[in-house]
Each structure stands twice: as structure tokens, then as C-alpha cells.
Amino acid sequence: MITPDLESGTKLWHLVKNHDHSDQREGDRGSKMVSEIYLTRLLATKGTLQKFVDDLFETIFSTAHRGSALPLAIKYMFDFLDEQADKHSITDYDVRHTWKSNCLPLRFWVNVIKNPQFVFDIHKNSITDACLSVVAQTFMDSCSTSEHKLGKDSPSNKLLYAKDIPNYKSWVERYYSDISRMPAISDQDMSAYLAEQSRLHLDQFNSMSALHEIYTYIIKYKDEILSALQKDEPSRRQRLRGKLEQVIDTMALAS
């Protein structure tokens, strides 16, 4: 596709094409024709995959989709975020919405969408990776509270799902609203749930390695964590600061 130089046999491009020469302008017109052909194919492919993308988003943003109950951890985490917002007098809906989006959809689901090899024993080629990136970008835009102003110069992956994103956004808002109306999860129920999960996956994880990672984090932010435990009333009642200091001292002696 690049016309070779008659003397050297090669033609060099900079990172940005120089549009001063007529032969390059001819090439640009050819590229535009190719882009229009691919755009038609892109729209056709999007139509073929639309149902699967809709099903994926509907499944993720549903508290009880097809008989699957919402994990207790999600309700517990979202209630914790709402409690922190109330505690710090944060009434802005966008802030609360963004916190929840950053914790679950953008932290977890985007990774799974873009990297199916994390879950399934499959090979992800470059074409599949590009397609999944478009779906992941649509997913991220659906979780955003800001309005995306699109024009003729906007990337094709943004334009492709532009008409669908308002509907997806309503699903996200409904999802967060449904979770907020669910009965609160007590600390005892959450502890029992975590204990059961630990029992079910007992042989799949190295608990000592996990504890070491937590300890490394604690040492890095020791002063901030100890101060926070001292200020928190429930933590003072359980004497968590003293217990943590005892663990730190024991580990220091062992090392």
C-alpha cells in the first residue's frame, strides 16, 4: 500500500503523514474509501453481537437475573460506601455513583470483559482483543455520570454504541438503586458468609501468602491505620489498635 521510492526501493513515513504531496492526498482518498467499507462491516457486526452485549450488561447490572442472587459482599460494600458518604456529609449523587462504579464495574468487570483468558482457558488474538476493548469502553461509558458529546471526529468505537449508552446508563442507575433498597447485611451475616467462602475455597489459596500481603500493606501505612483505629468507636471497643500493635511487635521480633 506504500509506493516505494524509485531510487532506494523504500518509502519512509514519519509518525504523522505529511500531506504536502499530491500522491499522499490520493492515498488518503483511498484510505477513506476503505474506512467506509469497514464502517459498513462494523455496523453489521455490531448488529450481530448486539444481543450478546445486551445480555452481558443486563446480567451484570441486575440484582436477581435469571435466578442468581446478588452476592452479600456487593450489598455490604455499597452500604459501607453510602455510610461513609453520610459520615462525611457527601450528598452529591455523582460522587456516590462514581465510588460504586470504581469499586465493582470498573475495577472488576472491565478486567473480565477485556481479558476472558482470566476466566476461560482460551487464546485471545489481536482481533478479539480489539473487539472486547470496544465492549469494555462502552461498559465504562455506561457507568459514567458525565455526558459524552460526540461529533464527526469522534472515534468509531464511541459512535458505534452512542444510541445504546443512555439505555445502559439507566440499567446501572436502577442496579445501584435496587441494591440500596435491599435489607442491610449484618456484620454477623457477613462474617458467616466470608467463613463459608473460605471453607469452600480452602485448598485454592495460600492463606499465609495473603496474610503476608496484608501485613506488608499495614507496615507501609502503619501510622495512618493505627490512628484510624484509635478514632473509630467500634474499633476502640474491640481494642483493635492494641491487637494490631501486638501483631506488629510479634512480627518484628520474629524477623
Side-chain angles (χ1 to χ4, degrees):
M1 297 180 68
I2 297 178
T3 306
D5 184 84
L6 295 179
E7 294 182 3
S8 64
T10 61
K11 188 168 186 177
L12 302 178
W13 291 107
H14 193 264
L15 292 177
V16 178
K17 291 183 181 181
N18 187 342
H19 296 283
D20 293 340
H21 303 291
S22 59
D23 59 336
Q24 293 171 0
R25 286 197 291 271
E26 289 294 330
D28 290 339
R29 282 200 294 271
S31 298
K32 184 176 181 181
M33 291 177 63
V34 171
S35 297
E36 291 175 351
I37 294 172
Y38 277 118
L39 181 59
T40 304
R41 184 177 297 177
L42 188 65
L43 292 171
T45 305
K46 188 245 183 183
T48 303
L49 299 177
Q50 185 69 54
K51 180 183 181 301
F52 300 99
V53 175
D54 287 347
D55 284 351
L56 172 66
F57 285 18
E58 184 183 1
T59 301
I60 292 175
F61 297 121
S62 176
T63 54
H65 184 70
R66 296 174 185 170
S68 299
L70 181 80
L72 297 184
I74 296 177
K75 169 63 178 174
Y76 191 85
M77 178 178 66
F78 279 16
D79 281 355
F80 170 78
L81 295 175
D82 285 333
E83 289 172 6
Q84 292 301 306
D86 292 337
K87 180 179 179 180
H88 296 283
S89 302
I90 298 174
T91 57
D92 190 338
Y93 169 80
D94 288 355
V95 173
R96 294 174 180 242
H97 183 104
T98 303
W99 283 2
K100 295 171 183 177
S101 295
N102 286 339
C103 282
L104 180 63
L106 304 184
R107 173 73 66 173
F108 174 76
W109 282 115
V110 168
N111 261 329
V112 174
I113 292 172
K114 291 188 66 175
N115 302 284
Q117 72 274 16
F118 289 175
V119 182
F120 304 105
D121 186 15
I122 61 174
H123 170 68
K124 181 183 69 173
N125 58 33
S126 58
I127 297 175
T128 302
D129 182 56
C131 293
L132 293 175
S133 294
V134 174
V135 177
Q137 183 61 56
T138 302
F139 188 87
M140 290 187 285
D141 292 342
S142 302
C143 294
S144 174
T145 58
S146 60
E147 293 295 330
H148 298 274
K149 296 182 179 180
L150 302 176
K152 63 179 182 179
D153 296 324
S154 299
S156 57
N157 64 318
K158 292 274 190 177
L159 296 171
L160 196 60
Y161 282 94
K163 293 182 179 180
D164 303 288
I165 285 179
N167 187 39
Y168 294 152
K169 281 189 173 185
S170 68
W171 291 1
V172 178
E173 293 171 359
R174 181 196 63 194
Y175 178 63
Y176 293 166
S177 177
D178 288 347
I179 293 177
S180 67
R181 289 196 297 267
M182 294 174 67
I185 307 298
S186 67
D187 292 342
Q188 292 79 7
D189 289 342
M190 189 61 199
S191 297
Y193 171 78
L194 293 176
E196 176 64 14
Q197 293 302 310
S198 296
R199 186 188 67 78
L200 292 174
H201 305 285
L202 187 62
D203 299 328
Q204 299 178 15
F205 299 97
N206 187 328
S207 58
M208 294 304 296
S209 176
L211 287 172
H212 181 265
E213 291 295 327
I214 295 174
Y215 175 74
T216 301
Y217 179 88
I218 289 173
I219 292 301
K220 184 176 181 180
Y221 300 102
K222 180 178 70 174
D223 294 338
E224 293 90 336
I225 293 174
L226 291 175
S227 177
L229 291 175
Q230 184 61 34
K231 293 178 181 177
D232 186 66
E233 178 61 30
S235 298
R236 286 203 303 271
R237 287 200 300 267
Q238 299 182 48
R239 294 178 293 176
L240 293 184
R241 175 176 176 138
K243 293 178 180 178
L244 180 58
E245 288 177 329
Q246 185 178 0
V247 170
I248 294 174
D249 292 341
T250 301
M251 291 294 292
L253 289 174
S255 60

